[in-house]
Amino acid sequence: MQRDSERILDEYLAAAARTGDRPAWERLVARWQPRLLRHAWRLTGHPDLARDMVQEAWVEILRGLRRLDDVAAFPAWAFRIVTRRCARALRGRHFERTHLVEIEPEAVVPGEQDAAGERASELAIVRAEMQALPAPQRAALSLFYLEDLSVAEIAVALDVPPGTVKTRLMHARRKIRARLEGSTDEQD
């Protein structure tokens, strides 16, 4: 139920911002900045580059919001703009993952701090395993489980066919499961 009311609020804010309502625009940015930043970080692996790409994406989002036909599509559309910005920035560059900065747990999964200690510990383990995934799989998995997007929305956000999203999700789940089963076998 909470997710539905969140989506309705986002749709309202996008519709109001589209008409030039500045407070609605500011609230939309405040709500979506952390999500888009996490997404860009997952794609680039570099916090500074992620911040730059999201900042550039907001300019594009502001300019294109009036042309967005369906405000319900705002999440996938915004993620897609960030995805494309990140892809352009990374094209032709090779970044080493040795300089990555760990994202604070609160920034990754809002509300995680409310979970019981054991659940939070399990989530931390899964989150660590997610970091080891290739960026496309990590992005698909995060958008599905952490951002609650559908496969179709993820396809739009990542600018790939839905079948590719399903494949990425399948491989990511298998890799995490194998790593988790392997780590529990080592502990026993």
Side-chain angles (χ1 to χ4, degrees):
M1 187 63 152
Q2 177 70 16
R3 208 36 111 166
D4 291 337
S5 62
E6 294 289 319
R7 284 199 178 227
I8 291 168
L9 177 58
D10 289 334
E11 290 174 24
Y12 168 77
L13 292 173
R18 191 167 68 177
T19 65
D21 183 337
R22 186 165 176 86
W25 169 253
E26 291 170 355
R27 188 148 179 221
L28 188 67
V29 170
R31 285 178 53 78
W32 278 88
Q33 177 72 12
R35 296 175 196 174
L36 297 179
L37 188 56
R38 283 190 306 265
H39 180 62
W41 187 87
R42 285 188 294 260
L43 293 173
T44 65
H46 290 58
D48 293 333
L49 181 59
R51 275 190 286 279
D52 291 345
M53 294 304 97
V54 171
Q55 186 174 350
E56 290 177 17
W58 278 118
V59 172
E60 190 173 336
I61 291 168
L62 177 60
R63 288 181 184 154
L65 193 56
R66 286 195 172 97
R67 293 186 309 269
L68 181 63
D69 294 332
D70 182 7
V71 291
F74 177 81
W77 178 71
F79 280 124
R80 183 179 196 166
I81 290 170
V82 171
T83 298
R84 287 182 174 175
R85 288 272 172 193
C86 291
R88 275 187 288 229
L90 293 174
R91 200 171 289 130
R93 297 184 191 179
H94 282 285
F95 292 100
E96 294 181 25
R97 295 189 61 85
T98 57
H99 302 302
L100 296 183
V101 175
E102 190 65 32
I103 293 181
E104 294 296 320
E106 298 85 6
V108 178
V109 184
E112 179 181 318
Q113 59 273 19
D114 300 335
E118 185 175 322
R119 179 155 166 73
S121 173
E122 291 170 354
L123 287 172
I125 292 168
V126 172
R127 188 174 51 250
E129 293 301 332
M130 283 177 65
Q131 292 303 320
L133 293 172
Q137 291 175 8
R138 186 173 57 248
L141 201 66
S142 297
L143 290 173
F144 188 78
Y145 288 107
L146 302 180
E147 301 297 341
D148 200 33
L149 295 184
S150 68
V151 169
E153 290 171 319
I154 296 169
V156 170
L158 298 179
D159 204 15
V160 296
T164 301
V165 172
K166 291 177 184 178
T167 301
R168 288 178 183 176
L169 288 171
M170 177 191 67
H171 288 298
R173 289 176 187 134
R174 282 185 183 167
K175 286 178 184 176
I176 289 177
R177 185 179 309 118
R179 288 183 183 132
L180 292 176
E181 289 172 355
S183 66
T184 58
D185 289 343
E186 292 169 9
Q187 294 174 355
D188 291 337

